[in-house]
Amino acid sequence: MSYDFLQQYWWFLVSLLGALLVFMMFVQGANSVLFSLGGNDSERQMIINSTGKKWELTFTTLVTFGGAFFASFPLFYSTSFGGAYWLWMIILFTFVLQAVSYEFQGKLGNLLGARTFQWFLVINGTVGPLLLGVAVATFFNGANFIVEKGNILDGPNPIISGWANASHGLDALLNGWNLIFGFAVFFLARVLGVLYIMNNVDNYGIRARAVVRLVGNLVPFLVFFLVALAHILIQDGYAVDPADGTIYIEPYKYFDNFIEMWPLAAMLLVGVVLFLFGAVKPIFKQSYLRGIWPAGIGAVLVVLSLLLCAGLNDTVYYPSTADLNSSLTIANSCSSEFTLSVMSVVSLIIPFVLAYIAYVWRKMDKKS
């Protein structure tokens, strides 16, 4: 296996984990509509019991996604997670609120009351997907950082990358296109969450309200998603010359990527069709309760195609708006060939891990 192949292989794995993470955010999406789906305390508890069986899988996927990025593309990890730490810390803090809520809301002697911890779930379900979408949008719209690899020789604690301002990632919220992408992910999580509850909670009142909530979240999702996708396709992108590593702006870069890598375009189209089938059919046929599966698979395919488009075909996957030459590509930010080779052997256990997750999923659903 060549070094180029290993780099692309690990970009595929990281992108796949990112796509799976977006699908698993149905937990957050379901929690964000907790009070509108649950008409009383009993119904809300049914929803919490359902999402409570799956939240650890979502959190594990998030941690695995971050760990895979750290191992395979450490310069991105140090630049984004280390530089834009306020953005990532808020995301992680909301996941801590989620864990605390599931653990303590039913405990005896709970001084805050169950309702407070339920609002913690709503906060996580709202802020988590939104900010995660904003963070992913910077793959296309850029972020404000500077990389100086020469600093590695400076002193005992060299700092290679740093944020170009004091916001440390919060400036991403000032970019309207980032917010549009973030709201697309937010409403996607809500749609998947409603579909999951329809499939997993056997309650007439909840399912009746779920159809209304499905329409109310599907429409804004389609608006935000189509606007974000159109902007990605027509905007100027960031490319790298593989011969000398020169980074430059290329008109319609992402559109050209989909044309030149047509399987990604096909994956995107199939994903959209599957998602629409899974999300629209329950609206017209309320007895159809398995929409989470085609919609979820479709969401994974769409997100995977976008992330692959952002990094492959000599594309800059993390552009710097402060210094164009500081932008990150899969070639200039990856681990050594030896490290990637060793990790590639370890990655062969991923299918077994996925099989274990599927097994645990089924066991959790069978448990009353």
Side-chain angles (χ1 to χ4, degrees):
M1 293 184 291
S2 66
Y3 196 20
D4 289 341
F5 172 81
L6 290 171
Q7 293 168 354
Q8 296 179 25
Y9 172 71
W10 273 98
W11 182 254
F12 169 78
L13 290 184
V14 169
S15 300
L16 179 59
L17 287 171
L20 291 174
L21 173 60
V22 172
F23 164 65
M24 293 299 299
M25 297 287 277
F26 70 79
V27 173
Q28 279 64 42
N31 288 337
S32 71
V33 293
L34 175 64
F35 289 100
S36 59
L37 275 186
N40 51 52
D41 290 340
S42 176
E43 290 181 349
R44 285 191 287 272
Q45 192 58 52
M46 293 175 68
I47 295 173
I48 292 172
N49 290 343
S50 178
T51 59
K53 297 176 181 178
K54 305 297 193 306
W55 77 269
E56 291 177 325
L57 297 179
T58 306
F59 190 77
T60 300
T61 306
L62 174 64
V63 174
T64 304
F65 172 69
F69 239 135
F70 171 75
S72 54
F73 300 97
L75 188 54
F76 168 80
Y77 190 90
S78 66
T79 301
S80 181
F81 290 83
Y85 55 79
W86 281 123
L87 182 62
W88 289 108
M89 286 299 292
I90 293 174
I91 294 174
L92 292 176
F93 177 72
T94 65
F95 276 88
V96 172
L97 285 181
Q98 178 195 53
V100 170
S101 178
Y102 280 123
E103 180 67 23
F104 291 104
Q105 66 177 278
K107 295 287 187 181
L108 295 176
N110 173 14
L111 298 179
L112 296 178
R115 182 62 66 91
T116 299
F117 287 106
Q118 289 173 0
W119 276 109
F120 285 172
L121 293 179
V122 175
I123 292 173
N124 170 249
T126 302
V127 178
L130 175 63
L131 293 190
L132 187 65
V134 169
V136 173
T138 60
F139 283 9
F140 299 97
N141 301 319
N144 203 3
F145 64 90
I146 297 176
V147 175
E148 292 288 350
K149 292 186 177 181
N151 291 347
I152 196 171
L153 301 176
D154 295 344
N157 297 308
I159 300 177
I160 299 176
S161 58
W163 220 246
N165 57 44
S167 70
H168 292 290
L170 295 181
D171 50 328
L173 297 173
L174 301 178
N175 186 313
W177 293 113
N178 289 346
L179 289 175
I180 289 175
F181 197 97
F183 278 111
V185 174
F186 166 69
F187 283 108
L188 171 61
R190 287 168 74 102
V191 170
L192 294 176
V194 171
L195 290 172
Y196 169 76
I197 294 302
M198 293 177 68
N199 174 258
N200 201 253
V201 178
D202 186 7
N203 179 275
Y204 176 80
I206 291 176
R207 285 177 174 171
R209 285 187 290 272
V211 175
V212 179
R213 300 297 175 264
L214 182 57
V215 176
N217 287 285
L218 179 60
V219 172
F221 162 71
L222 291 176
V223 172
F224 282 112
F225 172 72
L226 291 175
V227 171
L229 180 61
H231 176 256
I232 289 172
L233 293 178
I234 66 175
Q235 75 178 86
D236 293 341
Y238 299 82
V240 56
D241 187 338
D244 57 11
T246 301
I247 296 172
Y248 58 94
I249 296 177
E250 179 180 324
Y252 305 107
K253 173 60 177 172
Y254 305 111
F255 178 80
D256 291 341
N257 279 357
F258 278 116
I259 297 300
E260 295 172 14
M261 299 183 292
W262 62 265
L264 294 187
M267 184 190 303
L268 176 66
L269 179 60
V270 171
V272 170
V273 172
L274 282 174
F275 175 81
L276 289 176
F277 174 81
V280 173
K281 187 175 180 178
I283 298 174
F284 297 97
K285 186 178 180 180
Q286 297 186 20
S287 61
Y288 180 71
L289 304 175
R290 299 182 62 83
I292 180 62
W293 299 115
I297 294 172
V300 170
L301 293 178
V302 169
V303 176
L304 178 60
S305 65
L306 290 174
L307 292 178
L308 290 177
C309 176
L312 299 180
N313 197 35
D314 300 323
T315 307
V316 173
Y317 74 83
Y318 200 44
S320 171
T321 57
D323 175 27
L324 190 61
N325 292 321
S326 294
S327 302
L328 303 185
T329 69
I330 61 175
N332 69 11
S333 63
C334 66
S335 296
S336 67
E337 183 174 4
F338 174 78
T339 300
L340 294 182
S341 297
V342 173
M343 292 196 306
S344 296
V345 176
V346 178
S347 71
L348 297 178
I349 69 173
I350 289 179
F352 299 97
V353 175
L354 294 178
Y356 173 75
I357 291 175
Y359 171 77
V360 172
W361 183 298
R362 292 178 61 86
K363 294 290 286 184
M364 285 178 173
D365 283 345
K366 290 181 180 180
K367 185 178 179 180
S368 59

